[in-house]
Amino acid sequence: MKLKSLLLRYYPPGIMLEYEKHGELKTKSIDLLDLGPSTDVSALVEEIQKAEPLLTASRTEQVKLLIQRLQEKLGQNSNHTFYLFKVLKAHILPLTNVALNKSGSCFITGSYDRTCKLWDTASGEELNTLEGHRNVVYAIAFNNPYGDKIATGSFDKTCKLWSVETGKCYHTFRGHTAEIVCLSFNPQSTLVATGSMDTTAKLWDIQNGEEVYTLRGHPAEIISLSFNTSGDRIITGSFDHTVVVWDADTGRKVNILIGHCAEISSASFNWDCSLILTGSMDKTCMLWDATNGKCVATLTGHDDEILDSCFDYTGKLIATASADGTARIFSAATRKCIAKLEGHEGEISKISFNPQGNRLLTGSSDKTARIWDAQTGQCLQVLEGHTDEIFSCAFNYKGNIVITGSKDNTCRIWR
């Protein structure tokens, strides 16, 4: 094995190694999730080198410099104020979803008008319209981190795979017998998973367009799914009150997470794949051990349904958003509530951390999005101007651009 190059990954902090093995170029990452401004860099490098034979003594200074650069980046506070840059009259009918590529250079919108549109974030110009679905385009995603393909899932029961560059449709995946309402690429961008109201999820091969597996077992509709960061597990959340963990390589069921007493609204892994977070209409979120499927904590406090939940990039913090108009921040380690986010006058349907993990973004039926301090829960900014509820909002990878999508048929770019 021969080390070719070292690359930095800012969010979450880590170092990527590119190396050659039997003439083939491979990559592996060293996660530095606990890195902070006060970490002893020399001691950390020593520890890393003990565990990673590719990092020989000759690389010591280089690794030190990389970690110091990461430390500097972590020490920079993003006290960014967002201003409205552009209002996009995106579609002739309401939008369903908004998604950014990893760098944030472009984003996509899905709509009831049966199309998906690709937009340039810097200029607000429309780059492409993806046409071909015969019903609502509901679920959309880029194959991040690559960002050269888009998947669209529709109420017409099909999923389509498109080229970002040309707008050409590579494949139409057929096989579901009801609406497709969620989808996700695996991190390696070799598979796309689709979840449907027909109670199944399917894995599709991106290269040949063939179905790889059908994941059967839920007695009710699947409304959320996601891969873990290594791509070997996928979870599906259902109206049947359960989440199922599947082996993505074999299509077999690994665990069923049973404990919620109402529909699942969200389900996701933390970065190191050790925990699963589930949100439910039963007003609680649950934390599960991803290996054995046992519940390790129930996060309570909301007075109404949980509509969204997420981890920050490092997996240290958890955010929950509720129909009660509040959001909460919990520590993943102590499972205690750190802050309560109050100020919205309607239900909060979307919540996400910025990549640095020090800001939160919420979108609400009160027609506003808000930026919050993730440590104190203080509202730092209200993004106003939409004339109907905001159902989708997201930061870009740098955390200096926000996209909001509303039922008023417009998208807004804030920077």
Side-chain angles (χ1 to χ4, degrees):
M1 290 201 296
K2 188 180 174 210
L3 185 63
K4 305 291 276 185
S5 64
L6 292 170
L7 305 163
L8 272 187
R9 187 191 65 215
Y10 286 118
Y11 313 119
I15 298 171
M16 311 292 288
L17 313 181
E18 280 193 343
Y19 62 99
E20 206 178 279
K21 189 178 181 182
H22 308 312
E24 216 181 313
L25 200 61
K26 294 179 176 273
T27 58
K28 65 161 84 166
S29 62
I30 296 168
D31 292 340
L32 303 170
L33 304 184
D34 295 322
L35 183 68
S38 58
T39 304
D40 181 335
V41 176
S42 299
L44 179 60
V45 172
E46 211 174 296
E47 209 178 295
I48 292 168
Q49 285 180 315
K50 273 182 198 157
E52 182 46 72
L54 280 168
L55 295 176
T56 52
S58 64
R59 295 278 185 173
T60 304
E61 285 311 306
Q62 189 187 358
V63 175
K64 263 187 200 169
L65 282 171
L66 287 176
I67 293 176
Q68 279 160 357
R69 268 174 60 196
L70 276 178
Q71 266 186 323
E72 276 166 35
K73 190 82 173 171
L74 292 172
Q76 290 169 7
N77 268 337
S78 53
N79 299 323
H80 193 82
T81 303
F82 292 89
Y83 298 96
L84 180 64
F85 165 65
K86 200 144 194 185
V87 180
L88 306 180
K89 302 273 189 294
H91 293 267
I92 51 171
L93 289 173
L95 284 80
T96 54
N97 261 310
V98 178
L100 282 145
N101 68 348
K102 185 172 177 182
S103 69
S105 62
C106 59
F107 66 96
I108 45 179
T109 52
S111 169
Y112 279 87
D113 69 10
R114 306 177 177 193
T115 70
C116 174
K117 287 181 187 258
L118 177 68
W119 307 84
D120 181 272
T121 314
S123 66
E125 297 301 311
E126 185 184 316
L127 300 173
N128 248 321
T129 299
L130 311 180
E131 294 177 294
H133 281 296
R134 297 182 172 191
N135 208 327
V136 176
V137 174
Y138 192 76
I140 54 177
F142 281 98
N143 64 330
N144 291 335
Y146 308 97
D148 63 335
K149 294 184 182 70
I150 293 164
T152 55
S154 168
F155 285 4
D156 69 10
K157 307 171 193 171
T158 72
C159 171
K160 288 178 182 282
L161 185 72
W162 313 79
S163 160
V164 166
E165 200 180 339
T166 64
K168 177 177 149 256
C169 180
Y170 291 121
H171 301 297
T172 300
F173 303 122
R174 301 175 202 278
H176 282 296
T177 55
E179 299 91 336
I180 292 172
V181 291
C182 50
L183 56 78
S184 179
F185 285 94
N186 68 342
Q188 295 79 13
S189 192
T190 54
L191 299 172
V192 67
T194 53
S196 168
M197 301 301 268
D198 68 10
T199 76
T200 72
K202 288 178 185 283
L203 300 181
W204 311 86
D205 186 299
I206 283 172
Q207 278 310 108
N208 62 25
E210 300 290 318
E211 183 183 312
V212 184
Y213 296 116
T214 296
L215 310 180
R216 285 190 182 85
H218 284 292
E221 297 88 338
I222 289 174
I223 47 92
S224 80
L225 55 76
S226 58
F227 283 94
N228 65 357
T229 39
S230 50
D232 62 342
R233 293 281 184 271
I234 182 169
I235 46 177
T236 52
S238 166
F239 280 173
D240 67 14
H241 311 177
T242 74
V243 171
V244 176
V245 184
W246 311 82
D247 184 313
D249 299 325
T250 63
R252 290 207 182 105
K253 216 181 268 189
V254 179
N255 281 312
I256 305 177
L257 313 183
I258 300 171
H260 283 295
C261 50
E263 292 96 329
I264 302 296
S265 55
S266 61
S268 56
F269 285 93
N270 65 347
W271 178 265
D272 70 9
C273 313
S274 62
L275 292 172
I276 294 167
L277 173 68
T278 57
S280 167
M281 300 299 180
D282 68 10
K283 310 178 191 175
T284 72
C285 273
M286 289 181 132
L287 266 183
W288 310 80
D289 183 307
T291 315
N292 61 25
K294 298 249 187 317
C295 177
V296 294
T298 302
L299 310 179
T300 58
H302 284 292
D303 302 327
D304 208 336
E305 300 169 343
I306 304 264
L307 301 178
D308 197 18
S309 64
C310 62
F311 286 102
D312 71 347
Y313 267 58
T314 60
K316 289 194 177 82
L317 296 175
I318 291 163
T320 58
S322 170
D324 67 14
T326 71
R328 286 168 186 260
I329 304 165
F330 294 86
S331 157
T334 67
R335 287 92 198 234
K336 297 268 189 297
C337 180
I338 300 168
K340 194 173 173 184
L341 281 42
E342 295 177 291
H344 278 297
E345 289 164 21
E347 62 180 35
I348 303 172
S349 60
K350 209 78 193 137
I351 192 161
S352 57
F353 284 93
N354 67 345
Q356 295 90 331
N358 64 340
R359 297 284 178 267
L360 267 168
L361 172 66
T362 52
S364 166
S365 63
D366 69 8
K367 307 172 191 172
T368 71
R370 288 173 180 247
I371 310 278
W372 311 79
D373 184 299
Q375 291 303 320
T376 65
Q378 181 195 351
C379 179
L380 303 172
Q381 202 181 343
V382 182
L383 308 182
E384 296 176 287
H386 280 293
T387 57
D388 205 337
E389 76 177 71
I390 293 172
F391 58 82
S392 187
C393 54
F395 284 105
N396 67 336
Y397 184 67
K398 282 186 184 160
N400 61 353
I401 292 173
V402 163
I403 308 280
T404 53
S406 164
K407 282 195 175 161
D408 65 12
N409 290 18
T410 72
C411 236
R412 288 175 176 241
I413 304 172
W414 311 79
R415 39 207 275 204

